[in-house]
mmCIF file of all heavy atoms in Angstrom:
data_model
loop_
_atom_site.group_PDB
_atom_site.id
_atom_site.type_symbol
_atom_site.label_atom_id
_atom_site.label_comp_id
_atom_site.label_asym_id
_atom_site.label_seq_id
_atom_site.Cartn_x
_atom_site.Cartn_y
_atom_site.Cartn_z
ATOM 1 N N ARG A 1 4.064 8.599 -23.453
ATOM 2 C CA ARG A 1 4.975 9.627 -23.036
ATOM 3 C C ARG A 1 4.345 10.646 -22.139
ATOM 4 O O ARG A 1 4.879 11.044 -21.118
ATOM 5 C CB ARG A 1 5.600 10.289 -24.270
ATOM 6 C CG ARG A 1 6.728 11.289 -23.950
ATOM 7 C CD ARG A 1 7.492 11.742 -25.172
ATOM 8 N NE ARG A 1 8.149 10.596 -25.836
ATOM 9 C CZ ARG A 1 9.324 10.097 -25.421
ATOM 10 N NH1 ARG A 1 9.951 10.683 -24.443
ATOM 11 N NH2 ARG A 1 9.911 9.132 -26.087
ATOM 12 N N SER A 2 3.125 11.071 -22.535
ATOM 13 C CA SER A 2 2.492 12.123 -21.743
ATOM 14 C C SER A 2 1.905 11.567 -20.435
ATOM 15 O O SER A 2 1.852 12.324 -19.423
ATOM 16 C CB SER A 2 1.433 12.815 -22.539
ATOM 17 O OG SER A 2 0.410 11.927 -22.940
ATOM 18 N N ASN A 3 1.545 10.326 -20.389
ATOM 19 C CA ASN A 3 1.008 9.776 -19.137
ATOM 20 C C ASN A 3 2.125 9.205 -18.269
ATOM 21 O O ASN A 3 1.881 8.725 -17.112
ATOM 22 C CB ASN A 3 -0.081 8.715 -19.331
ATOM 23 C CG ASN A 3 0.390 7.459 -20.017
ATOM 24 O OD1 ASN A 3 1.512 6.964 -19.816
ATOM 25 N ND2 ASN A 3 -0.458 6.887 -20.869
ATOM 26 N N LEU A 4 3.412 9.347 -18.709
ATOM 27 C CA LEU A 4 4.590 9.001 -17.981
ATOM 28 C C LEU A 4 4.923 7.516 -17.849
ATOM 29 O O LEU A 4 5.713 7.120 -17.061
ATOM 30 C CB LEU A 4 4.601 9.703 -16.573
ATOM 31 C CG LEU A 4 4.481 11.192 -16.533
ATOM 32 C CD1 LEU A 4 4.476 11.718 -15.102
ATOM 33 C CD2 LEU A 4 5.414 11.900 -17.419
ATOM 34 N N ALA A 5 4.199 6.699 -18.602
ATOM 35 C CA ALA A 5 4.505 5.242 -18.615
ATOM 36 C C ALA A 5 5.892 4.977 -19.099
ATOM 37 O O ALA A 5 6.578 4.112 -18.552
ATOM 38 C CB ALA A 5 3.515 4.492 -19.482
ATOM 39 N N THR A 6 6.352 5.786 -20.042
ATOM 40 C CA THR A 6 7.720 5.562 -20.571
ATOM 41 C C THR A 6 8.791 5.906 -19.494
ATOM 42 O O THR A 6 9.868 5.346 -19.557
ATOM 43 C CB THR A 6 7.991 6.491 -21.781
ATOM 44 O OG1 THR A 6 7.674 7.866 -21.489
ATOM 45 C CG2 THR A 6 7.115 6.041 -22.986
ATOM 46 N N GLU A 7 8.443 6.729 -18.581
ATOM 47 C CA GLU A 7 9.372 7.032 -17.445
ATOM 48 C C GLU A 7 9.583 5.776 -16.567
ATOM 49 O O GLU A 7 10.599 5.679 -15.913
ATOM 50 C CB GLU A 7 8.779 8.150 -16.589
ATOM 51 C CG GLU A 7 8.705 9.501 -17.304
ATOM 52 C CD GLU A 7 10.042 10.132 -17.637
ATOM 53 O OE1 GLU A 7 10.920 9.998 -16.761
ATOM 54 O OE2 GLU A 7 10.157 10.805 -18.649
ATOM 55 N N LEU A 8 8.585 4.863 -16.647
ATOM 56 C CA LEU A 8 8.689 3.657 -15.837
ATOM 57 C C LEU A 8 9.132 2.470 -16.719
ATOM 58 O O LEU A 8 9.160 1.341 -16.231
ATOM 59 C CB LEU A 8 7.354 3.313 -15.143
ATOM 60 C CG LEU A 8 6.892 4.356 -14.174
ATOM 61 C CD1 LEU A 8 5.504 3.963 -13.592
ATOM 62 C CD2 LEU A 8 7.860 4.581 -13.033
ATOM 63 N N GLY A 9 9.424 2.789 -17.970
ATOM 64 C CA GLY A 9 9.994 1.729 -18.856
ATOM 65 C C GLY A 9 9.007 0.884 -19.575
ATOM 66 O O GLY A 9 9.416 -0.232 -20.060
ATOM 67 N N PHE A 10 7.809 1.349 -19.823
ATOM 68 C CA PHE A 10 6.925 0.512 -20.615
ATOM 69 C C PHE A 10 5.906 1.428 -21.359
ATOM 70 O O PHE A 10 5.849 2.664 -21.107
ATOM 71 C CB PHE A 10 6.100 -0.471 -19.741
ATOM 72 C CG PHE A 10 5.230 0.155 -18.663
ATOM 73 C CD1 PHE A 10 3.889 0.283 -18.921
ATOM 74 C CD2 PHE A 10 5.765 0.484 -17.436
ATOM 75 C CE1 PHE A 10 3.058 0.853 -17.964
ATOM 76 C CE2 PHE A 10 4.902 1.035 -16.481
ATOM 77 C CZ PHE A 10 3.566 1.251 -16.752
ATOM 78 N N GLU A 11 5.104 0.780 -22.258
ATOM 79 C CA GLU A 11 4.125 1.478 -23.066
ATOM 80 C C GLU A 11 2.780 1.165 -22.468
ATOM 81 O O GLU A 11 2.587 0.032 -21.986
ATOM 82 C CB GLU A 11 4.170 1.081 -24.496
ATOM 83 C CG GLU A 11 5.484 1.410 -25.224
ATOM 84 C CD GLU A 11 5.724 2.904 -25.366
ATOM 85 O OE1 GLU A 11 4.744 3.611 -25.749
ATOM 86 O OE2 GLU A 11 6.854 3.340 -25.123
ATOM 87 N N PHE A 12 1.833 2.089 -22.462
ATOM 88 C CA PHE A 12 0.514 1.841 -21.941
ATOM 89 C C PHE A 12 -0.550 2.675 -22.643
ATOM 90 O O PHE A 12 -0.277 3.830 -22.977
ATOM 91 C CB PHE A 12 0.471 2.199 -20.469
ATOM 92 C CG PHE A 12 -0.967 2.051 -19.856
ATOM 93 C CD1 PHE A 12 -1.419 0.834 -19.499
ATOM 94 C CD2 PHE A 12 -1.705 3.182 -19.697
ATOM 95 C CE1 PHE A 12 -2.739 0.738 -18.980
ATOM 96 C CE2 PHE A 12 -3.000 3.113 -19.184
ATOM 97 C CZ PHE A 12 -3.492 1.890 -18.816
ATOM 98 N N SER A 13 -1.709 2.040 -22.928
ATOM 99 C CA SER A 13 -2.831 2.793 -23.462
ATOM 100 C C SER A 13 -4.091 2.341 -22.799
ATOM 101 O O SER A 13 -4.374 1.140 -22.673
ATOM 102 C CB SER A 13 -2.926 2.516 -24.951
ATOM 103 O OG SER A 13 -4.016 3.213 -25.534
ATOM 104 N N SER A 14 -4.824 3.316 -22.229
ATOM 105 C CA SER A 14 -6.082 3.030 -21.565
ATOM 106 C C SER A 14 -7.242 3.116 -22.591
ATOM 107 O O SER A 14 -7.155 3.731 -23.681
ATOM 108 C CB SER A 14 -6.342 4.089 -20.474
ATOM 109 O OG SER A 14 -7.734 4.212 -20.138
ATOM 110 N N PRO A 15 -8.374 2.462 -22.291
ATOM 111 C CA PRO A 15 -9.538 2.720 -23.138
ATOM 112 C C PRO A 15 -9.866 4.218 -23.112
ATOM 113 O O PRO A 15 -9.530 4.953 -22.189
ATOM 114 C CB PRO A 15 -10.631 1.954 -22.407
ATOM 115 C CG PRO A 15 -9.919 0.901 -21.639
ATOM 116 C CD PRO A 15 -8.601 1.489 -21.230
ATOM 117 N N ASP A 16 -10.534 4.719 -24.148
ATOM 118 C CA ASP A 16 -10.845 6.109 -24.225
ATOM 119 C C ASP A 16 -11.883 6.457 -23.111
ATOM 120 O O ASP A 16 -12.586 5.588 -22.618
ATOM 121 C CB ASP A 16 -11.556 6.392 -25.572
ATOM 122 C CG ASP A 16 -10.551 6.313 -26.723
ATOM 123 O OD1 ASP A 16 -9.338 6.445 -26.502
ATOM 124 O OD2 ASP A 16 -10.952 6.073 -27.874
ATOM 125 N N ALA A 17 -11.947 7.760 -22.872
ATOM 126 C CA ALA A 17 -12.927 8.262 -21.912
ATOM 127 C C ALA A 17 -14.345 8.114 -22.448
ATOM 128 O O ALA A 17 -14.560 8.293 -23.633
ATOM 129 C CB ALA A 17 -12.658 9.707 -21.583
ATOM 130 N N ASP A 18 -15.254 7.724 -21.659
ATOM 131 C CA ASP A 18 -16.686 7.708 -21.956
ATOM 132 C C ASP A 18 -17.316 9.114 -21.704
ATOM 133 O O ASP A 18 -18.350 9.406 -22.311
ATOM 134 C CB ASP A 18 -17.378 6.656 -21.136
ATOM 135 C CG ASP A 18 -16.895 5.300 -21.416
ATOM 136 O OD1 ASP A 18 -17.115 4.790 -22.542
ATOM 137 O OD2 ASP A 18 -16.238 4.710 -20.532
ATOM 138 N N LYS A 19 -16.735 9.860 -20.826
ATOM 139 C CA LYS A 19 -17.325 11.088 -20.330
ATOM 140 C C LYS A 19 -16.261 12.078 -19.923
ATOM 141 O O LYS A 19 -15.376 11.789 -19.187
ATOM 142 C CB LYS A 19 -18.269 10.818 -19.177
ATOM 143 C CG LYS A 19 -19.109 11.996 -18.682
ATOM 144 C CD LYS A 19 -19.963 11.516 -17.497
ATOM 145 C CE LYS A 19 -20.847 12.646 -16.984
ATOM 146 N NZ LYS A 19 -21.972 12.915 -17.938
ATOM 147 N N PHE A 20 -16.335 13.304 -20.471
ATOM 148 C CA PHE A 20 -15.460 14.394 -20.024
ATOM 149 C C PHE A 20 -16.152 15.119 -18.882
ATOM 150 O O PHE A 20 -17.388 15.402 -18.984
ATOM 151 C CB PHE A 20 -15.184 15.339 -21.154
ATOM 152 C CG PHE A 20 -14.359 14.771 -22.251
ATOM 153 C CD1 PHE A 20 -14.697 15.025 -23.612
ATOM 154 C CD2 PHE A 20 -13.264 13.931 -22.001
ATOM 155 C CE1 PHE A 20 -13.916 14.484 -24.637
ATOM 156 C CE2 PHE A 20 -12.553 13.372 -23.016
ATOM 157 C CZ PHE A 20 -12.889 13.596 -24.382
ATOM 158 N N ILE A 21 -15.385 15.433 -17.868
ATOM 159 C CA ILE A 21 -15.965 16.151 -16.694
ATOM 160 C C ILE A 21 -15.138 17.393 -16.455
ATOM 161 O O ILE A 21 -13.956 17.523 -16.744
ATOM 162 C CB ILE A 21 -15.870 15.256 -15.408
ATOM 163 C CG1 ILE A 21 -14.504 14.658 -15.182
ATOM 164 C CG2 ILE A 21 -16.927 14.143 -15.534
ATOM 165 C CD1 ILE A 21 -14.399 13.836 -13.938
ATOM 166 N N ASP A 22 -15.829 18.420 -15.867
ATOM 167 C CA ASP A 22 -15.238 19.712 -15.706
ATOM 168 C C ASP A 22 -15.862 20.382 -14.491
ATOM 169 O O ASP A 22 -16.852 19.883 -13.922
ATOM 170 C CB ASP A 22 -15.452 20.596 -16.962
ATOM 171 C CG ASP A 22 -14.410 21.724 -17.035
ATOM 172 O OD1 ASP A 22 -13.686 21.971 -16.066
ATOM 173 O OD2 ASP A 22 -14.320 22.344 -18.136
ATOM 174 N N GLU A 23 -15.299 21.497 -14.094
ATOM 175 C CA GLU A 23 -15.769 22.287 -12.967
ATOM 176 C C GLU A 23 -17.281 22.400 -12.871
ATOM 177 O O GLU A 23 -17.979 22.803 -13.842
ATOM 178 C CB GLU A 23 -15.168 23.664 -12.982
ATOM 179 C CG GLU A 23 -15.556 24.620 -11.845
ATOM 180 C CD GLU A 23 -14.722 24.366 -10.604
ATOM 181 O OE1 GLU A 23 -13.645 23.797 -10.723
ATOM 182 O OE2 GLU A 23 -15.243 24.797 -9.543
ATOM 183 N N GLY A 24 -17.878 22.014 -11.723
ATOM 184 C CA GLY A 24 -19.333 22.162 -11.536
ATOM 185 C C GLY A 24 -20.139 21.035 -12.007
ATOM 186 O O GLY A 24 -21.351 20.944 -11.680
ATOM 187 N N ASP A 25 -19.568 20.033 -12.758
ATOM 188 C CA ASP A 25 -20.347 18.914 -13.187
ATOM 189 C C ASP A 25 -20.634 18.059 -11.984
ATOM 190 O O ASP A 25 -19.911 18.083 -10.948
ATOM 191 C CB ASP A 25 -19.541 18.064 -14.204
ATOM 192 C CG ASP A 25 -19.479 18.692 -15.515
ATOM 193 O OD1 ASP A 25 -20.266 19.667 -15.851
ATOM 194 O OD2 ASP A 25 -18.588 18.262 -16.333
ATOM 195 N N THR A 26 -21.748 17.256 -12.051
ATOM 196 C CA THR A 26 -22.102 16.413 -10.942
ATOM 197 C C THR A 26 -22.247 14.962 -11.450
ATOM 198 O O THR A 26 -22.852 14.740 -12.510
ATOM 199 C CB THR A 26 -23.470 16.909 -10.326
ATOM 200 O OG1 THR A 26 -23.289 18.236 -9.799
ATOM 201 C CG2 THR A 26 -23.888 15.969 -9.207
ATOM 202 N N LEU A 27 -21.720 14.007 -10.690
ATOM 203 C CA LEU A 27 -21.868 12.603 -10.953
ATOM 204 C C LEU A 27 -22.736 12.077 -9.809
ATOM 205 O O LEU A 27 -22.306 12.064 -8.623
ATOM 206 C CB LEU A 27 -20.522 11.911 -10.993
ATOM 207 C CG LEU A 27 -19.559 12.387 -12.061
ATOM 208 C CD1 LEU A 27 -18.212 11.657 -11.924
ATOM 209 C CD2 LEU A 27 -20.130 12.204 -13.432
ATOM 210 N N ALA A 28 -23.953 11.684 -10.169
ATOM 211 C CA ALA A 28 -24.878 11.154 -9.168
ATOM 212 C C ALA A 28 -25.042 9.651 -9.302
ATOM 213 O O ALA A 28 -25.019 9.109 -10.365
ATOM 214 C CB ALA A 28 -26.267 11.869 -9.336
ATOM 215 N N LEU A 29 -25.225 9.046 -8.180
ATOM 216 C CA LEU A 29 -25.428 7.591 -8.087
ATOM 217 C C LEU A 29 -26.781 7.234 -7.555
ATOM 218 O O LEU A 29 -27.286 7.808 -6.613
ATOM 219 C CB LEU A 29 -24.350 6.950 -7.133
ATOM 220 C CG LEU A 29 -22.883 7.206 -7.442
ATOM 221 C CD1 LEU A 29 -22.019 6.477 -6.457
ATOM 222 C CD2 LEU A 29 -22.574 6.708 -8.863
ATOM 223 N N GLY A 30 -27.428 6.287 -8.177
ATOM 224 C CA GLY A 30 -28.679 5.743 -7.675
ATOM 225 C C GLY A 30 -29.842 6.677 -7.697
ATOM 226 O O GLY A 30 -30.721 6.584 -6.835
ATOM 227 N N GLY A 31 -29.951 7.583 -8.682
ATOM 228 C CA GLY A 31 -31.086 8.513 -8.678
ATOM 229 C C GLY A 31 -30.917 9.740 -7.797
ATOM 230 O O GLY A 31 -29.893 9.964 -7.177
ATOM 231 N N LYS A 32 -31.981 10.501 -7.674
ATOM 232 C CA LYS A 32 -31.942 11.804 -6.984
ATOM 233 C C LYS A 32 -31.650 11.702 -5.526
ATOM 234 O O LYS A 32 -31.194 12.661 -4.901
ATOM 235 C CB LYS A 32 -33.191 12.614 -7.260
ATOM 236 C CG LYS A 32 -34.409 11.967 -6.667
ATOM 237 C CD LYS A 32 -35.654 12.860 -6.955
ATOM 238 C CE LYS A 32 -36.935 12.260 -6.320
ATOM 239 N NZ LYS A 32 -38.131 13.128 -6.597
ATOM 240 N N ASN A 33 -31.948 10.537 -4.919
ATOM 241 C CA ASN A 33 -31.690 10.368 -3.518
ATOM 242 C C ASN A 33 -30.344 9.731 -3.205
ATOM 243 O O ASN A 33 -30.006 9.542 -1.997
ATOM 244 C CB ASN A 33 -32.821 9.500 -2.888
ATOM 245 C CG ASN A 33 -34.171 10.209 -2.948
ATOM 246 O OD1 ASN A 33 -34.308 11.405 -2.739
ATOM 247 N ND2 ASN A 33 -35.229 9.464 -3.199
ATOM 248 N N GLY A 34 -29.581 9.439 -4.214
ATOM 249 C CA GLY A 34 -28.289 8.842 -4.033
ATOM 250 C C GLY A 34 -27.192 9.864 -3.784
ATOM 251 O O GLY A 34 -27.451 11.089 -3.984
ATOM 252 N N PRO A 35 -26.000 9.471 -3.472
ATOM 253 C CA PRO A 35 -24.904 10.415 -3.325
ATOM 254 C C PRO A 35 -24.532 11.089 -4.601
ATOM 255 O O PRO A 35 -24.563 10.505 -5.664
ATOM 256 C CB PRO A 35 -23.737 9.554 -2.767
ATOM 257 C CG PRO A 35 -24.056 8.163 -3.252
ATOM 258 C CD PRO A 35 -25.563 8.069 -3.270
ATOM 259 N N ALA A 36 -24.122 12.332 -4.501
ATOM 260 C CA ALA A 36 -23.714 13.140 -5.673
ATOM 261 C C ALA A 36 -22.335 13.644 -5.449
ATOM 262 O O ALA A 36 -22.014 14.096 -4.314
ATOM 263 C CB ALA A 36 -24.703 14.306 -5.955
ATOM 264 N N PHE A 37 -21.553 13.669 -6.491
ATOM 265 C CA PHE A 37 -20.177 14.075 -6.390
ATOM 266 C C PHE A 37 -19.965 15.289 -7.378
ATOM 267 O O PHE A 37 -20.192 15.138 -8.548
ATOM 268 C CB PHE A 37 -19.221 12.922 -6.768
ATOM 269 C CG PHE A 37 -19.370 11.757 -5.865
ATOM 270 C CD1 PHE A 37 -20.376 10.851 -6.083
ATOM 271 C CD2 PHE A 37 -18.517 11.571 -4.784
ATOM 272 C CE1 PHE A 37 -20.511 9.739 -5.291
ATOM 273 C CE2 PHE A 37 -18.622 10.470 -3.975
ATOM 274 C CZ PHE A 37 -19.596 9.558 -4.178
ATOM 275 N N GLU A 38 -19.468 16.400 -6.833
ATOM 276 C CA GLU A 38 -19.270 17.626 -7.632
ATOM 277 C C GLU A 38 -17.784 17.649 -8.076
ATOM 278 O O GLU A 38 -16.886 17.419 -7.293
ATOM 279 C CB GLU A 38 -19.596 18.808 -6.754
ATOM 280 C CG GLU A 38 -19.341 20.134 -7.484
ATOM 281 C CD GLU A 38 -19.605 21.297 -6.531
ATOM 282 O OE1 GLU A 38 -20.151 21.147 -5.479
ATOM 283 O OE2 GLU A 38 -19.141 22.405 -6.914
ATOM 284 N N VAL A 39 -17.611 17.995 -9.312
ATOM 285 C CA VAL A 39 -16.265 18.075 -9.877
ATOM 286 C C VAL A 39 -15.621 19.470 -9.624
ATOM 287 O O VAL A 39 -16.284 20.473 -9.883
ATOM 288 C CB VAL A 39 -16.271 17.803 -11.422
ATOM 289 C CG1 VAL A 39 -14.871 17.958 -11.980
ATOM 290 C CG2 VAL A 39 -16.839 16.422 -11.683
ATOM 291 N N LEU A 40 -14.433 19.487 -9.066
ATOM 292 C CA LEU A 40 -13.650 20.654 -8.908
ATOM 293 C C LEU A 40 -12.437 20.598 -9.822
ATOM 294 O O LEU A 40 -11.685 19.642 -9.732
ATOM 295 C CB LEU A 40 -13.136 20.854 -7.432
ATOM 296 C CG LEU A 40 -14.176 20.831 -6.336
ATOM 297 C CD1 LEU A 40 -13.442 21.000 -4.979
ATOM 298 C CD2 LEU A 40 -15.210 21.891 -6.526
ATOM 299 N N HIS A 41 -12.239 21.541 -10.708
ATOM 300 C CA HIS A 41 -11.079 21.561 -11.569
ATOM 301 C C HIS A 41 -9.897 22.180 -10.815
ATOM 302 O O HIS A 41 -9.984 23.320 -10.389
ATOM 303 C CB HIS A 41 -11.419 22.407 -12.878
ATOM 304 C CG HIS A 41 -10.296 22.344 -13.859
ATOM 305 N ND1 HIS A 41 -10.124 23.340 -14.814
ATOM 306 C CD2 HIS A 41 -9.358 21.451 -14.114
ATOM 307 C CE1 HIS A 41 -9.090 23.035 -15.582
ATOM 308 N NE2 HIS A 41 -8.602 21.886 -15.173
ATOM 309 N N LEU A 42 -8.887 21.375 -10.644
ATOM 310 C CA LEU A 42 -7.715 21.762 -9.798
ATOM 311 C C LEU A 42 -6.427 21.594 -10.587
ATOM 312 O O LEU A 42 -5.497 20.865 -10.176
ATOM 313 C CB LEU A 42 -7.682 20.909 -8.508
ATOM 314 C CG LEU A 42 -8.898 20.943 -7.647
ATOM 315 C CD1 LEU A 42 -8.748 19.907 -6.493
ATOM 316 C CD2 LEU A 42 -9.048 22.327 -7.016
ATOM 317 N N PRO A 43 -6.259 22.376 -11.677
ATOM 318 C CA PRO A 43 -5.051 22.254 -12.478
ATOM 319 C C PRO A 43 -3.809 22.782 -11.705
ATOM 320 O O PRO A 43 -3.917 23.537 -10.740
ATOM 321 C CB PRO A 43 -5.298 23.074 -13.718
ATOM 322 C CG PRO A 43 -6.352 24.100 -13.255
ATOM 323 C CD PRO A 43 -7.197 23.329 -12.239
ATOM 324 N N GLY A 44 -2.658 22.306 -12.119
ATOM 325 C CA GLY A 44 -1.392 22.681 -11.530
ATOM 326 C C GLY A 44 -0.462 21.559 -11.410
ATOM 327 O O GLY A 44 0.734 21.683 -11.636
ATOM 328 N N HIS A 45 -0.970 20.338 -11.105
ATOM 329 C CA HIS A 45 -0.182 19.129 -11.221
ATOM 330 C C HIS A 45 -0.204 18.653 -12.647
ATOM 331 O O HIS A 45 0.802 18.268 -13.204
ATOM 332 C CB HIS A 45 -0.776 18.043 -10.278
ATOM 333 C CG HIS A 45 -0.072 16.749 -10.337
ATOM 334 N ND1 HIS A 45 1.263 16.548 -9.948
ATOM 335 C CD2 HIS A 45 -0.530 15.479 -10.707
ATOM 336 C CE1 HIS A 45 1.611 15.304 -10.068
ATOM 337 N NE2 HIS A 45 0.536 14.633 -10.560
ATOM 338 N N THR A 46 -1.398 18.657 -13.203
ATOM 339 C CA THR A 46 -1.615 18.521 -14.662
ATOM 340 C C THR A 46 -2.687 19.515 -15.069
ATOM 341 O O THR A 46 -3.351 20.120 -14.254
ATOM 342 C CB THR A 46 -2.142 17.103 -15.082
ATOM 343 O OG1 THR A 46 -3.437 16.925 -14.512
ATOM 344 C CG2 THR A 46 -1.200 16.001 -14.597
#
């Protein structure tokens, strides 16, 4: 209901999250020289 699957006429459940992310967190790939992605919290749509 909260993920809106019922609005499309079916039930759905995803695997649980492995990691919670929030403003300022960084997800890095391939060690310190790999690309890094910074999390921006942008509420308002959800």
Side-chain angles (χ1 to χ4, degrees):
R1 186 169 297 278
S2 60
N3 66 36
L4 305 183
T6 54
E7 297 290 326
L8 298 179
F10 64 95
E11 299 292 316
F12 174 80
S13 181
S14 162
D16 292 336
D18 298 291
K19 185 181 183 70
F20 295 137
I21 52 177
D22 203 347
E23 179 81 21
D25 288 344
T26 299
L27 300 176
L29 302 181
K32 65 179 181 180
N33 294 321
F37 300 83
E38 177 186 347
V39 178
L40 304 181
H41 187 203
L42 301 172
H45 179 63
T46 66

